[in-house]
Amino acid sequence: MPLCYINGKYAPISECQLPVTDMAIQRGAAVFEAARIYDGRLFALDMHLERFAESARLAGIAADKIIPLLPDIIKTGVGMDGCPSDGLVRPYITGGDINDKGFFPEPRFFVLFGGINKTPEEERRRGATLVPNRMERPFPLCKSVNYLFALIPLGGGDKENHESLYMPGGEITEAMTNNFFLCKDGRIITAPTGRVLDGVTRNVVLTLARENGFTVEERCPREEELAVADEAFITGTVNEVLSVVRVGGLTIGSGRPGPVAAHLYRLFLSNMERWLS
Amino acid sequence: MPLCYINGKYAPISECQLPVTDMAIQRGAAVFEAARIYDGRLFALDMHLERFAESARLAGIAADKIIPLLPDIIKTGVGMDGCPSDGLVRPYITGGDINDKGFFPEPRFFVLFGGINKTPEEERRRGATLVPNRMERPFPLCKSVNYLFALIPLGGGDKENHESLYMPGGEITEAMTNNFFLCKDGRIITAPTGRVLDGVTRNVVLTLARENGFTVEERCPREEELAVADEAFITGTVNEVLSVVRVGGLTIGSGRPGPVAAHLYRLFLSNMERWLS
């Protein structure tokens, strides 16, 4: 049974509830993080908590008293029965019951400790398919729970679709829960932070790519570059590095996972120790 | 104490909670309605419930078994102790614990019966100020709880600001919780349904305007028309008809509530009986 920390104590997740008066439920006023647990150790927790504080600030949630409590709560929870040794820690800060014109002075928080739906091996071999979503992601530096608009384009359709890809006005920004990368003639092209979420795995992969001699261009790939790309991939906490072989009806490159993504994924796995605490 | 219907029974709202595993909390997967109670009677309930079903369908939430239960639950609740005779009924349908790639097969629902923060008389006399929000409202026909992006532009700033106004690319679509109307040379200009939420009060006011000889243009007003408009107003369940005298730094018309909004508000109040059940 997954575990939850809420209202000052750890409890089975089935006992953890939020009042319906909370602005998370009434107005989507909540921010969260998802950090990976590998073999009982946390991956890049500091980077996640730094981004979490920034998300809360952007959302107008007064989280200053909550953020400093989280390292101890998370580290203690990861060591408890009920927390899997390979899994995800997901802290949430909600708006609480008071919405003072976009300022939330009395937030609540809870932390989920649970398993992870790892990328299926079959999808990793085949490569992922993304579904175009023509809108701009609003306020991309604020990792809030407002994901419904990125889920509507999937609409319960083909279950082989991985997730949706934001493509406003012919530009490619990011996927619903992953950053997006295009490879062309030895260059790796990805949207700049600010236009997209400041992805923790994105930053790790870009560090490793630069250390290993790849040329990185931080700009939004254009939609028409998909058709002439050598390959594409996404990065994120759950999927790590995952090849993308289709976007909507369009096949990318050979239609199979490519060598750049495979090389970066090997580098990610072999350098993981540097970001584990 | 406001009342809530949840899990098959009526209870004080302080006892009503949602599991943290619900996709409403984790992914913003929830739709809702807000219908007015005037003197113990419901205003335009059928229009609200019809729109509610459409919101759930667009959100991928399987609400077919829930919607038919709501008229009885709502009418019974409105007659109970704890439900104010002037107030709001707010039914919510949430995604439940299962997110099957944007399809939510096992939703939850609850209904809130509570008071209303009526438009302050001072704001009605002075006219409202709206704050520009340069983004497009995603999927405007789906009345979901994903309001954070419309709250961020307020950011807890000047408490005299009423709410934000979506103004993507120089077009004016709608305010956060109200439809928007511009008046110029005897014409009333408002964005078409589909580009904006299918507002219940919008439809009532447009019906009354046409019956009373006003010329209505259904198109998005351009931002530059604000500076030369005679007046502006918003319509919604809570604010009914409310004059708008400022958008950001720009004063509209004389800077005071105008005669068209006043006339339509009188018509709204004097014709209310037609939509009460």
Side-chain angles (χ1 to χ4, degrees), chain B residues 33 44-56 67 198:
Chain B
E33 279 294 326
L45 181 63
D46 291 350
M47 288 161 78
H48 282 287
L49 291 182
E50 196 176 315
R51 186 173 67 180
F52 199 26
E54 179 65 2
S55 291
I67 298 285
D198 187 17

Side-chain angles (χ1 to χ4, degrees), chain A residues 182-185 222-231 250-253:
Chain A
L182 209 64
C183 306
K184 175 68 177 169
D185 300 334
R222 299 283 314 170
E223 189 171 343
E224 55 270 25
E225 292 180 87
L226 285 174
V228 296
D230 298 325
E231 60 175 287
L250 194 73
T251 299
I252 297 174

Side-chain angles (χ1 to χ4, degrees), chain B residues 28-44:
Chain B
V31 294
F32 77 109
E33 279 294 326
R36 190 76 176 257
I37 313 165
Y38 289 104
D39 198 18
R41 297 166 70 197
L42 287 153
F43 187 81

Side-chain angles (χ1 to χ4, degrees), chain A residues 26-27, chain B residues 1-3 13 33-43 48 82-90 112-121 123-124 162 177-178 201 235-241 265 268-269 272:
Chain A
Q26 299 207 354
R27 290 294 188 213
Chain B
M1 171 68 74
L3 195 69
I13 197 169
E33 279 294 326
R36 190 76 176 257
I37 313 165
Y38 289 104
D39 198 18
R41 297 166 70 197
L42 287 153
F43 187 81
H48 282 287
C83 180
S85 63
D86 285 287
L88 275 184
V89 174
R90 286 180 294 158
L112 306 181
F113 302 84
I116 184 168
N117 292 321
K118 286 188 190 175
T119 312
E121 276 310 312
E123 186 175 37
R124 203 171 272 293
H162 186 83
T177 68
N178 286 279
T201 313
T235 66
T237 292
V238 171
N239 300 118
E240 301 163 320
V241 179
Y265 189 36
F268 177 83
L269 295 174
M272 187 177 285

Side-chain angles (χ1 to χ4, degrees), chain B:
Chain B
M1 171 68 74
L3 195 69
C4 180
Y5 178 92
I6 192 167
N7 300 328
K9 58 176 199 271
Y10 298 88
I13 197 169
S14 59
E15 295 175 14
C16 296
Q17 301 196 310
L18 200 63
V20 297
T21 47
D22 195 286
M23 292 298 145
I25 298 169
Q26 300 207 352
R27 289 295 188 213
V31 294
F32 77 109
E33 279 294 326
R36 190 76 176 257
I37 313 165
Y38 289 104
D39 198 18
R41 297 166 70 197
L42 287 153
F43 187 81
L45 181 63
D46 291 350
M47 288 161 78
H48 282 287
L49 291 182
E50 196 176 315
R51 186 173 67 180
F52 199 26
E54 179 65 2
S55 291
R57 192 188 67 76
L58 288 167
I61 300 175
D64 290 358
K65 291 177 185 160
I66 294 170
I67 298 285
L69 306 174
L70 293 174
D72 278 355
I73 290 169
I74 289 173
K75 286 169 192 166
T76 302
V78 166
M80 292 175 76
D81 285 350
C83 180
S85 63
D86 285 287
L88 275 184
V89 174
R90 286 180 294 158
Y92 287 73
I93 302 177
T94 72
D97 289 354
I98 300 171
N99 169 12
D100 188 12
K101 306 245 174 188
F103 176 62
F104 304 94
E106 295 187 14
R108 294 186 174 89
F109 77 103
F110 60 90
V111 185
L112 306 181
F113 302 84
I116 184 168
N117 292 321
K118 286 188 190 175
T119 312
E121 276 310 312
E122 158 63 13
E123 186 175 37
R124 203 171 272 293
R125 269 196 306 274
R126 189 184 68 226
T129 297
L130 303 179
V131 175
N133 183 8
R134 301 290 168 182
M135 62 178 274
E136 179 90 37
R137 180 177 182 162
F139 302 99
L141 290 177
C142 179
K143 188 172 170 70
S144 86
V145 300
N146 293 248
Y147 278 81
L148 182 62
F149 305 126
L151 288 165
I152 286 177
L154 295 180
D158 188 342
K159 296 303 184 287
E160 292 205 346
N161 291 330
H162 186 83
E163 65 182 7
S164 61
L165 178 64
Y166 287 104
M167 300 170 66
E171 291 183 304
I172 302 172
T173 55
E174 62 191 312
M176 185 178 91
T177 68
N178 286 279
N179 289 103
F180 180 85
F181 299 73
L182 209 65
C183 306
K184 176 67 177 169
D185 301 333
R187 289 166 297 133
I188 297 171
I189 306 160
T190 193
T193 289
R195 189 68 191 275
V196 297
L197 182 72
D198 187 17
V200 168
T201 313
R202 173 189 185 278
N203 289 336
V204 166
V205 167
L206 286 182
T207 297
L208 294 170
R210 289 184 170 116
E211 287 176 1
N212 287 273
F214 286 97
T215 302
V216 176
E217 281 181 32
E218 293 193 64
R219 64 171 176 85
C220 295
R222 298 282 317 170
E223 189 172 344
E224 55 269 25
E225 292 181 88
L226 285 174
V228 295
D230 299 323
E231 61 175 286
F233 62 92
I234 52 179
T235 66
T237 292
V238 171
N239 300 118
E240 301 163 320
V241 179
L242 178 62
S243 285
V244 172
V245 296
R246 288 171 66 88
V247 173
L250 194 73
T251 297
I252 297 174
S254 66
R256 284 180 311 213
V260 175
H263 187 57
L264 289 172
Y265 189 36
R266 279 193 300 272
L267 287 172
F268 177 83
L269 295 174
S270 60
N271 284 273
M272 187 177 285
E273 185 66 30
R274 290 162 57 183
W275 287 276
L276 285 171
S277 59

Side-chain angles (χ1 to χ4, degrees), chain A residues 229-274:
Chain A
D230 298 325
E231 60 175 287
F233 62 92
I234 52 178
T235 65
T237 293
V238 172
N239 300 119
E240 301 164 322
V241 180
L242 177 64
S243 285
V244 173
V245 295
R246 288 169 66 89
V247 173
L250 194 73
T251 299
I252 297 174
S254 66
R256 283 179 311 212
V260 175
H263 186 58
L264 290 171
Y265 189 37
R266 279 193 300 271
L267 287 171
F268 178 83
L269 295 174
S270 60
N271 284 274
M272 188 177 285
E273 186 66 31
R274 291 162 58 184

